[in-house]
Coordinates of all heavy atoms in Angstrom, one line a residue:
M1 N 116.7 132.9 86.3 CA 115.3 133.2 86.5 C 114.4 132.1 86.1 O 113.4 131.8 86.7 CB 115.0 134.5 85.6 CG 113.6 135.0 85.8 SD 113.5 135.6 87.5 CE 112.0 136.5 87.3
T2 N 114.8 131.3 85.0 CA 114.0 130.2 84.6 C 114.0 129.1 85.7 O 113.0 128.4 85.9 CB 114.5 129.7 83.3 OG1 114.5 130.7 82.3 CG2 113.6 128.5 82.8
V3 N 115.2 128.9 86.3 CA 115.3 127.9 87.4 C 114.3 128.2 88.5 O 113.7 127.3 89.0 CB 116.8 127.8 87.9 CG1 116.9 126.9 89.1 CG2 117.7 127.4 86.8
V4 N 114.3 129.4 88.9 CA 113.4 129.8 90.0 C 111.9 129.6 89.6 O 111.1 129.1 90.4 CB 113.6 131.3 90.4 CG1 112.6 131.8 91.4 CG2 115.0 131.5 90.9
R5 N 111.6 129.9 88.4 CA 110.2 129.7 87.9 C 109.9 128.2 87.8 O 108.8 127.8 88.2 CB 110.0 130.3 86.5 CG 109.9 131.8 86.6 CD 109.6 132.4 85.2 NE 108.5 131.8 84.5 CZ 108.4 131.8 83.2 NH1 109.3 132.4 82.4 NH2 107.4 131.2 82.6
G6 N 110.9 127.4 87.4 CA 110.7 126.0 87.4 C 110.5 125.3 88.7 O 109.6 124.5 89.0
L7 N 111.3 125.8 89.7 CA 111.2 125.3 91.1 C 109.9 125.7 91.7 O 109.3 125.0 92.5 CB 112.4 125.7 91.9 CG 113.7 125.0 91.5 CD1 114.9 125.6 92.3 CD2 113.6 123.5 91.7
R8 N 109.5 126.9 91.4 CA 108.2 127.4 91.9 C 107.0 126.6 91.4 O 106.1 126.3 92.1 CB 108.0 128.9 91.6 CG 106.9 129.6 92.3 CD 106.7 131.0 92.0 NE 108.0 131.7 92.1 CZ 108.4 132.7 91.3 NH1 107.6 133.1 90.3 NH2 109.6 133.3 91.4
E9 N 107.1 126.3 90.1 CA 106.1 125.5 89.4 C 106.0 124.1 90.0 O 105.0 123.6 90.3 CB 106.3 125.4 87.9 CG 105.3 124.6 87.2 CD 105.7 124.5 85.7 OE1 106.4 125.4 85.2 OE2 105.2 123.6 85.1
A10 N 107.2 123.5 90.3 CA 107.3 122.2 90.9 C 106.7 122.2 92.3 O 106.0 121.3 92.7 CB 108.7 121.7 90.9
F11 N 107.1 123.2 93.0 CA 106.6 123.3 94.4 C 105.1 123.5 94.4 O 104.4 122.8 95.2 CB 107.2 124.5 95.1 CG 106.7 124.7 96.5 CD1 107.1 123.9 97.5 CD2 105.9 125.8 96.8 CE1 106.7 124.1 98.8 CE2 105.4 126.0 98.1 CZ 105.8 125.1 99.1
L12 N 104.5 124.2 93.5 CA 103.1 124.4 93.5 C 102.4 123.1 93.1 O 101.4 122.8 93.7 CB 102.7 125.5 92.4 CG 101.2 125.9 92.3 CD1 100.7 126.5 93.6 CD2 101.0 126.8 91.2
I13 N 102.9 122.4 92.1 CA 102.3 121.1 91.7 C 102.4 120.2 92.9 O 101.4 119.4 93.2 CB 103.0 120.5 90.5 CG1 102.7 121.4 89.3 CG2 102.5 119.1 90.2 CD1 103.5 121.1 88.1
F14 N 103.5 120.1 93.6 CA 103.7 119.2 94.7 C 102.7 119.5 95.8 O 102.1 118.6 96.4 CB 105.1 119.3 95.2 CG 105.5 118.3 96.3 CD1 105.9 117.1 96.0 CD2 105.4 118.7 97.6 CE1 106.3 116.2 96.9 CE2 105.7 117.8 98.6 CZ 106.1 116.5 98.3
V15 N 102.5 120.8 96.2 CA 101.7 121.2 97.3 C 100.2 120.9 96.9 O 99.5 120.3 97.7 CB 101.8 122.7 97.6 CG1 100.7 123.2 98.5 CG2 103.2 122.9 98.3
V16 N 99.8 121.2 95.7 CA 98.4 121.0 95.3 C 98.1 119.5 95.3 O 97.1 119.0 95.8 CB 98.1 121.6 93.9 CG1 96.8 121.2 93.4 CG2 98.1 123.2 94.1
A17 N 99.0 118.7 94.7 CA 98.8 117.3 94.7 C 98.8 116.7 96.1 O 98.0 115.8 96.4 CB 99.8 116.6 93.8
G18 N 99.7 117.2 96.9 CA 99.8 116.7 98.3 C 98.5 117.0 99.1 O 98.0 116.2 99.9
V19 N 98.0 118.2 98.9 CA 96.7 118.5 99.6 C 95.6 117.6 99.1 O 94.8 117.1 99.9 CB 96.4 120.0 99.4 CG1 95.0 120.3 99.8 CG2 97.4 120.9 100.2
L20 N 95.5 117.4 97.8 CA 94.4 116.5 97.3 C 94.6 115.1 97.8 O 93.6 114.5 98.1 CB 94.4 116.6 95.8 CG 94.0 117.9 95.1 CD1 94.2 117.8 93.6 CD2 92.6 118.2 95.5
V21 N 95.8 114.6 97.9 CA 96.1 113.3 98.4 C 95.7 113.2 99.9 O 95.1 112.2 100.3 CB 97.5 112.9 98.2 CG1 97.9 111.6 98.9 CG2 97.8 112.6 96.7
A22 N 96.0 114.3 100.6 CA 95.7 114.3 102.1 C 94.2 114.2 102.3 O 93.7 113.5 103.2 CB 96.3 115.5 102.7
V23 N 93.5 115.0 101.5 CA 92.0 115.0 101.6 C 91.5 113.6 101.2 O 90.6 113.0 101.9 CB 91.4 116.1 100.7 CG1 89.9 115.9 100.6 CG2 91.7 117.4 101.3
G24 N 92.0 113.0 100.1 CA 91.6 111.7 99.7 C 91.9 110.6 100.8 O 91.1 109.7 101.1
A25 N 93.0 110.7 101.4 CA 93.4 109.8 102.5 C 92.5 110.0 103.7 O 92.1 109.0 104.3 CB 94.9 110.0 102.9
A26 N 92.1 111.2 104.0 CA 91.2 111.4 105.1 C 89.9 110.8 104.9 O 89.3 110.2 105.8 CB 91.1 112.9 105.4
M27 N 89.4 111.0 103.6 CA 88.1 110.3 103.3 C 88.2 108.8 103.3 O 87.3 108.1 103.8 CB 87.6 110.8 101.9 CG 87.2 112.3 101.9 SD 86.5 112.9 100.4 CE 87.0 111.9 99.1
W28 N 89.3 108.3 102.9 CA 89.5 106.8 102.9 C 89.5 106.3 104.3 O 88.9 105.3 104.6 CB 90.9 106.5 102.2 CG 91.2 105.1 101.9 CD1 90.3 104.0 102.1 CD2 92.4 104.6 101.4 NE1 91.0 102.9 101.7 CE2 92.2 103.2 101.3 CE3 93.6 105.2 101.1 CZ2 93.2 102.4 100.8 CZ3 94.6 104.3 100.6 CH2 94.4 102.9 100.5
V29 N 90.2 107.0 105.2 CA 90.2 106.6 106.6 C 88.8 106.7 107.2 O 88.4 105.9 108.0 CB 91.2 107.4 107.4 CG1 91.1 107.2 108.9 CG2 92.6 107.1 107.0
A30 N 88.1 107.8 106.9 CA 86.7 108.0 107.4 C 85.8 106.9 107.0 O 84.9 106.5 107.8 CB 86.2 109.4 107.0
I31 N 85.9 106.4 105.8 CA 85.0 105.4 105.2 C 85.4 104.0 105.7 O 84.6 103.3 106.1 CB 85.0 105.5 103.7 CG1 84.3 106.8 103.3 CG2 84.2 104.3 103.1 CD1 84.4 107.1 101.8
A32 N 86.7 103.7 105.5 CA 87.2 102.3 105.7 C 87.9 102.1 107.0 O 88.2 101.0 107.4 CB 88.0 101.9 104.5
G33 N 88.3 103.2 107.7 CA 89.2 103.1 108.9 C 90.6 102.8 108.5 O 91.0 102.7 107.3
G34 N 91.4 102.6 109.5 CA 92.8 102.3 109.3 C 93.7 103.5 109.7 O 93.2 104.5 110.2
A35 N 95.0 103.3 109.5 CA 96.0 104.3 109.9 C 96.1 105.4 108.8 O 96.2 105.1 107.6 CB 97.3 103.7 110.1
Y36 N 96.0 106.7 109.2 CA 96.0 107.8 108.2 C 97.4 107.9 107.5 O 97.4 108.1 106.3 CB 95.7 109.1 109.0 CG 95.8 110.3 108.0 CD1 94.8 110.5 107.1 CD2 96.9 111.2 108.1 CE1 94.9 111.6 106.3 CE2 96.9 112.3 107.3 CZ 95.9 112.5 106.4 OH 96.0 113.6 105.5
T37 N 98.5 107.7 108.3 CA 99.8 107.9 107.6 C 100.1 106.8 106.6 O 100.7 107.1 105.5 CB 100.9 107.8 108.7 OG1 100.8 106.6 109.5 CG2 100.8 109.0 109.6
N38 N 99.6 105.6 106.8 CA 99.8 104.5 105.8 C 99.0 104.9 104.6 O 99.4 104.7 103.4 CB 99.4 103.2 106.3 CG 100.3 102.6 107.4 OD1 101.5 103.1 107.4 ND2 99.9 101.7 108.2
R39 N 97.7 105.3 104.7 CA 96.9 105.6 103.6 C 97.4 106.8 102.9 O 97.4 106.9 101.6 CB 95.4 105.9 104.1 CG 94.8 104.8 104.9 CD 94.5 103.6 104.0 NE 94.1 102.4 104.8 CZ 92.9 102.0 104.9 NH1 91.9 102.7 104.4 NH2 92.7 100.9 105.6
L40 N 98.0 107.8 103.6 CA 98.6 109.0 103.0 C 99.8 108.6 102.2 O 100.0 109.0 101.0 CB 99.0 110.0 104.0 CG 99.6 111.3 103.5 CD1 98.7 112.1 102.6 CD2 100.0 112.2 104.7
G41 N 100.6 107.7 102.7 CA 101.8 107.2 102.0 C 101.4 106.5 100.7 O 102.1 106.7 99.7
I42 N 100.4 105.6 100.8 CA 100.0 104.9 99.6 C 99.5 105.9 98.5 O 99.8 105.7 97.4 CB 98.9 103.8 100.0 CG1 99.5 102.7 100.8 CG2 98.2 103.3 98.7 CD1 98.5 101.8 101.5
G43 N 98.7 106.8 99.0 CA 98.2 107.8 98.0 C 99.3 108.6 97.4 O 99.3 108.9 96.2
L44 N 100.3 109.0 98.2 CA 101.4 109.8 97.6 C 102.2 109.0 96.6 O 102.7 109.5 95.6 CB 102.4 110.3 98.7 CG 101.8 111.4 99.6 CD1 102.8 111.7 100.7 CD2 101.7 112.7 98.7
V45 N 102.4 107.7 96.9 CA 103.2 106.8 95.9 C 102.4 106.7 94.6 O 102.9 106.8 93.5 CB 103.4 105.4 96.6 CG1 103.9 104.5 95.5 CG2 104.5 105.6 97.7
V46 N 101.1 106.5 94.7 CA 100.2 106.3 93.5 C 100.2 107.6 92.7 O 100.4 107.6 91.5 CB 98.8 105.9 93.9 CG1 97.9 105.9 92.7 CG2 98.9 104.5 94.5
V47 N 99.9 108.7 93.4 CA 99.8 110.0 92.7 C 101.2 110.4 92.1 O 101.3 111.0 91.0 CB 99.2 111.1 93.6 CG1 99.3 112.5 92.9 CG2 97.8 110.7 93.8
G48 N 102.3 110.2 92.9 CA 103.6 110.5 92.4 C 104.0 109.7 91.2 O 104.6 110.2 90.3
G49 N 103.6 108.4 91.2 CA 103.8 107.6 90.0 C 103.0 108.1 88.8 O 103.6 108.2 87.7
L50 N 101.8 108.5 89.0 CA 101.0 109.0 87.9 C 101.5 110.3 87.4 O 101.6 110.5 86.2 CB 99.5 109.1 88.4 CG 98.8 107.9 88.6 CD1 97.4 108.1 89.1 CD2 98.6 107.1 87.2
I51 N 101.9 111.2 88.3 CA 102.5 112.5 87.9 C 103.8 112.3 87.1 O 104.1 112.9 86.1 CB 102.6 113.4 89.1 CG1 101.3 113.9 89.5 CG2 103.5 114.6 88.7 CD1 101.3 114.8 90.8
G52 N 104.6 111.3 87.6 CA 105.9 111.0 87.0 C 105.7 110.5 85.6 O 106.5 110.8 84.7
V53 N 104.7 109.7 85.4 CA 104.4 109.1 84.1 C 103.7 110.1 83.1 O 104.1 110.1 81.9 CB 103.6 107.8 84.2 CG1 103.2 107.3 82.9 CG2 104.4 106.8 84.9
T54 N 102.8 110.8 83.6 CA 102.0 111.7 82.7 C 102.3 113.2 82.9 O 101.5 114.0 82.6 CB 100.5 111.5 83.0 OG1 100.2 111.8 84.4 CG2 100.1 110.0 82.7
G55 N 103.5 113.5 83.5 CA 103.8 114.9 83.8 C 103.9 115.9 82.7 O 103.8 117.1 82.9
D56 N 104.1 115.4 81.5 CA 104.3 116.3 80.4 C 103.1 116.7 79.6 O 103.1 117.2 78.5 CB 105.4 115.8 79.4 CG 105.0 114.5 78.7 OD1 103.9 113.9 79.2 OD2 105.6 114.1 77.8
L57 N 101.9 116.4 80.2 CA 100.6 116.8 79.7 C 100.3 116.1 78.4 O 99.4 116.5 77.6 CB 100.5 118.3 79.5 CG 100.6 119.1 80.8 CD1 100.5 120.6 80.4 CD2 99.5 118.8 81.7
T58 N 100.9 115.0 78.1 CA 100.6 114.2 76.8 C 99.2 113.8 76.8 O 98.5 113.9 75.8 CB 101.6 113.0 76.7 OG1 102.9 113.6 76.7 CG2 101.3 112.3 75.4
L59 N 98.7 113.3 77.9 CA 97.4 112.7 78.0 C 96.3 113.8 77.8 O 95.3 113.6 77.1 CB 97.1 112.0 79.3 CG 97.9 110.7 79.5 CD1 97.5 110.1 80.8 CD2 97.6 109.8 78.4
S60 N 96.6 115.0 78.3 CA 95.6 116.1 78.1 C 95.6 116.6 76.6 O 94.6 117.0 76.1 CB 95.9 117.3 79.0 OG 97.1 117.9 78.7
R61 N 96.7 116.5 76.0 CA 96.8 116.9 74.6 C 96.0 115.9 73.7 O 95.3 116.2 72.8 CB 98.2 117.0 74.1 CG 98.9 118.2 74.5 CD 100.2 118.3 73.7 NE 101.1 119.2 74.5 CZ 102.3 118.9 74.8 NH1 102.9 117.8 74.4 NH2 103.1 119.8 75.5
V62 N 96.2 114.6 74.0 CA 95.5 113.6 73.3 C 94.0 113.7 73.5 O 93.2 113.5 72.6 CB 96.0 112.2 73.7 CG1 95.1 111.1 73.2 CG2 97.4 112.0 73.3
G63 N 93.6 114.0 74.7 CA 92.2 114.1 75.1 C 91.5 115.3 74.4 O 90.3 115.3 74.2
M64 N 92.3 116.3 74.0 CA 91.7 117.5 73.3 C 91.7 117.4 71.8 O 91.3 118.3 71.1 CB 92.5 118.7 73.7 CG 92.2 119.1 75.2 SD 90.4 119.5 75.4 CE 90.2 120.9 74.4
L65 N 92.3 116.3 71.2 CA 92.3 116.2 69.7 C 90.9 116.2 69.1 O 90.7 116.9 68.1 CB 93.1 115.0 69.3 CG 94.6 115.0 69.5 CD1 95.2 113.7 69.1 CD2 95.2 116.2 68.8
G66 N 90.0 115.4 69.7 CA 88.6 115.4 69.1 C 87.9 116.7 69.2 O 87.4 117.2 68.2
P67 N 87.9 117.4 70.4 CA 87.2 118.7 70.4 C 87.8 119.7 69.5 O 87.1 120.5 68.9 CB 87.3 119.1 71.9 CG 87.4 117.8 72.6 CD 88.2 116.9 71.7
R68 N 89.2 119.7 69.5 CA 89.8 120.7 68.6 C 89.5 120.5 67.1 O 89.3 121.4 66.4 CB 91.3 120.7 68.8 CG 91.7 121.2 70.2 CD 93.2 121.3 70.4 NE 93.9 122.2 69.5 CZ 94.0 123.5 69.8 NH1 93.5 124.0 70.9 NH2 94.6 124.4 68.9
A69 N 89.4 119.2 66.7 CA 89.0 118.9 65.4 C 87.6 119.3 65.1 O 87.2 119.7 64.0 CB 89.3 117.4 65.1
T70 N 86.7 119.1 66.1 CA 85.3 119.4 65.9 C 85.1 120.9 65.6 O 84.3 121.3 64.8 CB 84.5 119.0 67.2 OG1 84.7 117.6 67.4 CG2 83.0 119.4 67.0
F71 N 85.8 121.7 66.3 CA 85.7 123.2 66.2 C 86.7 123.7 65.1 O 86.8 124.9 65.0 CB 85.9 123.9 67.5 CG 84.9 123.5 68.5 CD1 85.2 122.8 69.6 CD2 83.6 124.0 68.3 CE1 84.2 122.5 70.6 CE2 82.6 123.6 69.2 CZ 82.9 122.9 70.4
G72 N 87.3 122.9 64.4 CA 88.2 123.3 63.3 C 89.5 123.9 63.7 O 90.1 124.6 62.9
A73 N 89.9 123.7 65.0 CA 91.2 124.3 65.4 C 92.3 123.3 65.1 O 92.1 122.1 65.1 CB 91.1 124.5 66.9
A74 N 93.4 123.9 64.8 CA 94.6 123.1 64.5 C 95.1 122.4 65.7 O 94.9 122.8 66.8 CB 95.7 124.0 63.9
P75 N 95.7 121.2 65.5 CA 96.3 120.5 66.7 C 97.4 121.4 67.4 O 98.0 122.2 66.7 CB 96.9 119.3 66.1 CG 96.4 119.1 64.8 CD 95.9 120.5 64.3
E76 N 97.6 121.1 68.7 CA 98.6 121.9 69.4 C 99.9 121.5 68.9 O 100.2 120.4 68.5 CB 98.5 121.6 70.9 CG 97.2 122.1 71.5 CD 97.2 121.7 73.0 OE1 98.3 121.8 73.6 OE2 96.2 121.4 73.5
R77 N 100.8 122.5 68.9 CA 102.2 122.2 68.5 C 102.9 121.4 69.6 O 102.6 121.6 70.7 CB 103.0 123.5 68.2 CG 102.4 124.3 67.0 CD 103.3 125.4 66.7 NE 103.9 126.0 68.0 CZ 104.5 127.1 68.0 NH1 104.7 127.8 67.0 NH2 105.0 127.5 69.2
E78 N 103.8 120.6 69.2 CA 104.5 119.8 70.2 C 105.4 120.6 71.0 O 105.7 120.3 72.2 CB 105.3 118.7 69.4 CG 106.0 117.7 70.3 CD 104.9 116.8 71.0 OE1 103.9 116.5 70.4 OE2 105.2 116.4 72.2
T79 N 105.9 121.7 70.5 CA 106.8 122.6 71.3 C 106.1 123.5 72.2 O 106.7 124.1 73.1 CB 107.7 123.4 70.3 OG1 106.8 124.2 69.5 CG2 108.6 122.5 69.5
A80 N 104.8 123.7 72.1 CA 104.0 124.6 72.9 C 104.0 124.0 74.3 O 103.5 122.9 74.5 CB 102.6 124.8 72.4
G81 N 104.4 124.7 75.3 CA 104.5 124.3 76.7 C 103.3 124.7 77.5 O 103.1 124.3 78.6
G82 N 102.4 125.5 76.9 CA 101.3 126.0 77.7 C 101.6 126.8 78.9 O 100.9 126.8 79.9
G83 N 102.7 127.5 78.9 CA 103.1 128.3 80.0 C 104.0 127.5 81.0 O 104.3 128.0 82.0
Q84 N 104.2 126.3 80.7 CA 105.0 125.5 81.6 C 106.5 125.7 81.4 O 107.0 126.0 80.3 CB 104.8 124.0 81.4 CG 103.6 123.4 82.0 CD 103.6 121.9 81.8 OE1 103.8 121.4 80.7 NE2 103.4 121.2 82.9
V85 N 107.2 125.7 82.5 CA 108.7 125.8 82.5 C 109.3 124.4 82.5 O 110.3 124.2 81.8 CB 109.2 126.7 83.7 CG1 110.7 126.8 83.7 CG2 108.6 128.1 83.6
L86 N 108.7 123.6 83.3 CA 109.3 122.2 83.5 C 108.9 121.3 82.4 O 107.7 121.4 81.9 CB 108.8 121.6 84.8 CG 109.3 122.2 86.1 CD1 108.6 121.6 87.3 CD2 110.8 122.1 86.2
T87 N 109.8 120.5 81.9 CA 109.5 119.4 81.0 C 109.0 118.2 81.7 O 108.9 118.2 82.9 CB 110.7 119.1 80.1 OG1 111.7 118.5 81.0 CG2 111.3 120.3 79.4
G88 N 108.6 117.1 81.0 CA 108.2 115.9 81.6 C 109.3 115.3 82.5 O 109.0 114.8 83.6
V89 N 110.5 115.4 82.1 CA 111.6 114.9 83.0 C 111.7 115.8 84.2 O 111.9 115.2 85.3 CB 113.0 114.9 82.2 CG1 114.1 114.6 83.1 CG2 112.9 114.0 81.0
G90 N 111.6 117.1 84.1 CA 111.6 117.9 85.3 C 110.5 117.7 86.3 O 110.7 117.7 87.5
I91 N 109.3 117.4 85.7 CA 108.2 117.1 86.6 C 108.4 115.8 87.3 O 108.1 115.7 88.5 CB 106.9 117.2 85.8 CG1 106.6 118.6 85.4 CG2 105.7 116.6 86.6 CD1 105.4 118.8 84.5
F92 N 109.0 114.8 86.6 CA 109.2 113.5 87.2 C 110.3 113.7 88.3 O 110.1 113.2 89.4 CB 109.7 112.5 86.2 CG 110.3 111.3 86.8 CD1 109.4 110.4 87.4 CD2 111.6 111.0 86.9 CE1 109.9 109.2 88.0 CE2 112.1 109.9 87.5 CZ 111.2 109.0 88.0
L93 N 111.4 114.4 88.1 CA 112.4 114.6 89.0 C 112.1 115.4 90.2 O 112.5 115.2 91.4 CB 113.7 115.1 88.4 CG 114.4 114.2 87.4 CD1 115.6 114.9 86.8 CD2 114.9 113.0 88.2
F94 N 111.3 116.5 90.0 CA 111.1 117.5 91.1 C 109.7 117.4 91.7 O 109.4 118.0 92.7 CB 111.2 118.9 90.5 CG 112.7 119.2 90.2 CD1 113.0 119.5 88.8 CD2 113.7 119.2 91.1 CE1 114.3 119.8 88.5 CE2 115.0 119.5 90.7 CZ 115.3 119.8 89.4
V95 N 108.8 116.6 91.1 CA 107.5 116.4 91.7 C 107.2 114.9 92.0 O 106.9 114.5 93.1 CB 106.4 117.0 90.8 CG1 105.0 116.8 91.5 CG2 106.6 118.5 90.6
G96 N 107.2 114.1 90.9 CA 106.9 112.7 91.1 C 107.8 111.9 92.0 O 107.3 111.2 92.9
L97 N 109.1 112.0 91.8 CA 110.0 111.3 92.6 C 110.0 111.7 94.0 O 110.0 110.8 94.9 CB 111.4 111.4 92.0 CG 112.5 110.5 92.5 CD1 112.1 109.0 92.2 CD2 113.8 110.8 91.8
P98 N 110.0 113.0 94.4 CA 109.9 113.3 95.8 C 108.6 112.8 96.5 O 108.6 112.4 97.6 CB 109.9 114.9 95.8 CG 110.7 115.2 94.6 CD 110.3 114.2 93.6
M99 N 107.5 112.8 95.7 CA 106.2 112.3 96.3 C 106.3 110.8 96.5 O 105.8 110.4 97.6 CB 105.0 112.6 95.3 CG 104.6 114.0 95.3 SD 103.1 114.2 94.3 CE 102.0 114.3 95.6
I100 N 107.0 110.1 95.7 CA 107.1 108.7 95.9 C 108.0 108.4 97.1 O 107.7 107.6 97.9 CB 107.7 108.0 94.6 CG1 106.7 108.0 93.5 CG2 108.2 106.6 94.9 CD1 107.2 107.6 92.1
V101 N 109.1 109.2 97.2 CA 110.0 109.0 98.3 C 109.3 109.3 99.7 O 109.4 108.6 100.6 CB 111.3 109.9 98.2 CG1 112.1 109.9 99.4 CG2 112.1 109.3 97.0
V102 N 108.6 110.4 99.7 CA 107.8 110.8 100.9 C 106.8 109.7 101.3 O 106.6 109.3 102.4 CB 107.2 112.2 100.8 CG1 106.2 112.5 101.9 CG2 108.3 113.2 100.8
G103 N 106.1 109.2 100.2 CA 105.1 108.2 100.4 C 105.7 106.9 101.0 O 105.2 106.3 101.9
V104 N 106.8 106.5 100.5 CA 107.5 105.3 100.9 C 108.0 105.5 102.4 O 107.8 104.6 103.2 CB 108.7 104.9 100.0 CG1 109.5 103.8 100.6 CG2 108.1 104.4 98.7
L105 N 108.5 106.7 102.7 CA 108.9 106.9 104.1 C 107.7 106.9 105.0 O 107.9 106.5 106.2 CB 109.6 108.3 104.2 CG 111.0 108.3 103.5 CD1 111.6 109.7 103.5 CD2 112.0 107.3 104.2
L106 N 106.5 107.4 104.6 CA 105.4 107.3 105.5 C 104.8 105.9 105.7 O 104.3 105.6 106.7 CB 104.3 108.2 104.9 CG 104.5 109.7 105.0 CD1 103.4 110.5 104.3 CD2 104.5 110.1 106.5
I107 N 105.0 105.1 104.6 CA 104.5 103.7 104.8 C 105.3 102.9 105.7 O 104.8 102.1 106.5 CB 104.4 103.0 103.4 CG1 103.4 103.7 102.5 CG2 104.1 101.5 103.5 CD1 103.3 103.2 101.1
T108 N 106.7 103.1 105.7 CA 107.6 102.3 106.5 C 107.6 102.8 107.9 O 107.2 103.7 108.3 CB 109.0 102.3 105.9 OG1 109.5 103.6 105.8 CG2 109.0 101.6 104.6

């Protein structure tokens, strides 16, 4: 059951990120011109790399330290997943790496 939830989570992240990259690539082509597939591939490689590096929400936890301290809330526990099933390694393997591979295939 956990495997299915993890794959569903990875698929959802992949689809949402892919749609956002596709919209960004369309705007990039509309403004600067060029080939859509190359721009889409570049966007997928960049976003896949960012998701692979920051996939475990470390940056969002660090960003919330100040506001949590201001309101007197305790820091988040390191083990709290926030409802996530996938760890940082899982997000890299099932979201970041496939996005990079698809992006490279679109560029070539």
Side-chain angles (χ1 to χ4, degrees):
M1 187 65 168
T2 303
V3 172
V4 174
R5 286 181 50 205
L7 290 175
R8 191 178 314 143
E9 180 181 338
F11 179 73
L12 182 66
I13 294 171
F14 186 86
V15 168
V16 169
V19 167
L20 291 176
V21 169
V23 169
M27 290 187 336
W28 190 7
V29 168
I31 293 171
Y36 178 74
T37 54
N38 288 340
R39 305 288 169 102
L40 180 63
I42 292 168
L44 286 173
V45 169
V46 169
V47 171
L50 289 174
I51 288 175
V53 171
T54 63
D56 63 349
L57 299 176
T58 301
L59 294 180
S60 66
R61 284 192 201 130
V62 169
M64 287 300 295
L65 287 178
R68 291 184 68 84
T70 301
F71 294 113
E76 294 182 36
R77 294 185 328 189
E78 189 65 33
T79 59
Q84 278 188 308
V85 177
L86 292 175
T87 62
V89 174
I91 290 175
F92 171 73
L93 288 176
F94 294 115
V95 180
L97 194 60
M99 286 186 101
I100 292 171
V101 169
V102 169
V104 168
L105 289 174
L106 285 174
I107 293 172
T108 57

